[in-house]
Amino acid sequence: MSGDIDSVNHLGIAVRDMDQACALYERLGFTLSPLSVHSGSKAPGEAPVPMATGNRCAIFPKNYIEVLGIVNPGAMDWGWERFVDKFQGAHIICFGCTDAETVHRRLEESKVANSGVITLQRDIGTEDGMRTARFDCVHFDSAATPEGLIQAARHRNPEYVHQPRYLGHANGATSLAEILLVSEHPEQTAARYAVLSGQPSVRQDDGSFLIRLPVATALRFMGPEQAGIELPGTLMAPAPAIVAATFGVRDLAAARAWVAQAGFPIVDGPGRFMVPAENALGVAHLFRQE
């Protein structure tokens, strides 16, 4: 459908300490945008109000990673505490679209409960001064998405987010290429996300399931046992959960050298390397040649 979901706009990592988390992410070789505080409407048609959360982002041409924490305690936060109370890690997938109303209508037709179209905004510093980036957002029913806060958004002002000065990363990352979700029944979870995204789920040779989005980022689904083999380490978020992010890089050897010299442990794999979740804000970070 024209205007429907076509990408993962961003992946949100909920953290307990913004300063420590952002310092770690910068050591990993990501350039982060300055702190930006959220505002949002409580219901469709209501005016946005300041929220509890703020973010700093690792931005790529078509998507980004959001490091998210409490910066305005006591304000509206849509239950942020339940995320970090459960674990520090990836709790948000925001799909990208060009018409949030189209997403809302399709979800209604598919009998998927959702918030309707609500307005979000945050002030962002640009080279021409402070600007307000606005988003039309649809939150999916939490009962249908136990993996986290799953939503879709239309960016009204993408140029404020994807500023050229933030696109260069010392580790050479150029994209958020893939997100891994783990559940006890990955085929059923993938089928559920096929309904949510409007894109088909395809079984892969390794037994995982993959949803490719037209513009940016794929979703992969597998069970905990397979994920434990794929992602060796001492920490994995309890299923169902978002457990890993894969980044495309310009030069895999150069990316590996950067991350290694920064002191992070590295697990090598075919055509990729990984920083385990326990060393990367609760999310396994994989890097592969773009």
Side-chain angles (χ1 to χ4, degrees), residues 31-286:
T31 298
L32 292 180
S33 60
L35 178 68
S36 178
V37 180
H38 295 101
S39 295
S41 57
K42 297 181 179 180
E46 292 189 8
V49 297
M51 295 179 63
T53 53
N55 69 20
R56 296 184 67 191
C57 300
I59 299 168
F60 312 109
K62 296 180 180 177
N63 47 33
Y64 61 94
I65 294 286
E66 173 187 45
V67 181
L68 178 79
I70 293 290
V71 297
N72 188 17
M76 178 179 70
D77 64 17
W78 285 323
W80 185 91
E81 294 94 340
R82 76 178 187 274
F83 294 149
V84 291
D85 285 349
K86 189 176 181 183
F87 59 87
Q88 176 171 268
H91 286 279
I92 299 169
I93 294 175
C94 181
F95 291 107
C97 67
T98 55
D99 183 10
E101 186 60 40
T102 295
V103 176
H104 166 62
R105 288 197 305 268
R106 180 177 55 78
L107 293 176
E108 292 287 293
E109 292 168 0
S110 299
K111 310 300 184 186
V112 177
N114 63 91
S115 66
V117 179
I118 58 178
T119 300
L120 298 179
Q121 66 184 48
R122 56 187 175 94
D123 290 337
I124 298 176
T126 74
E127 292 180 316
D128 297 318
M130 193 65 70
R131 297 289 185 269
T132 300
R134 292 179 170 84
F135 315 89
D136 299 324
C137 187
V138 180
H139 287 183
F140 301 174
D141 178 26
S142 59
T145 56
E147 299 76 22
L149 173 60
I150 314 299
Q151 56 190 306
R154 171 205 170 199
H155 277 221
R156 296 192 197 178
N157 315 100
E159 69 277 11
Y160 298 160
V161 174
H162 298 273
Q163 296 182 48
R165 58 180 171 162
Y166 300 132
L167 298 181
H169 301 279
N171 58 24
T174 56
S175 70
L176 171 61
E178 186 175 291
I179 296 169
L180 176 63
L181 296 92
V182 167
S183 70
E184 296 292 344
H185 305 286
E187 184 171 11
Q188 295 176 18
T189 303
R192 177 160 42 84
Y193 274 78
V195 173
L196 296 175
S197 67
Q199 300 294 330
S201 165
V202 179
R203 186 183 182 93
Q204 304 299 293
D205 291 342
D206 65 358
S208 66
F209 296 86
L210 192 71
I211 294 176
R212 297 186 186 276
L213 298 169
V215 172
T217 315
L219 303 178
R220 188 178 295 273
F221 304 84
M222 62 178 59
E225 184 175 351
Q226 183 181 3
I229 296 170
E230 292 278 335
L231 307 173
T234 62
L235 177 67
M236 182 178 294
I242 307 159
V243 302
T246 297
F247 300 89
V249 297
R250 288 191 305 271
D251 184 323
L252 188 63
R256 189 188 186 286
W258 172 272
V259 174
Q261 65 83 28
F264 289 92
I266 287 176
V267 179
D268 289 306
R272 72 182 195 193
F273 71 89
M274 181 189 80
V275 176
E278 59 267 29
N279 305 108
L281 305 182
V283 186
H285 280 52
L286 292 85

Side-chain angles (χ1 to χ4, degrees), residues 15 17-32 56 67 258 262 264 279 281:
V15 301
D17 187 308
M18 280 288 285
D19 290 339
Q20 290 182 6
C22 290
L24 181 148
Y25 228 57
E26 289 174 330
R27 280 204 305 116
L28 263 178
F30 292 104
T31 298
L32 292 180
R56 296 184 67 191
V67 181
W258 172 272
F264 289 92
N279 305 108
L281 305 182

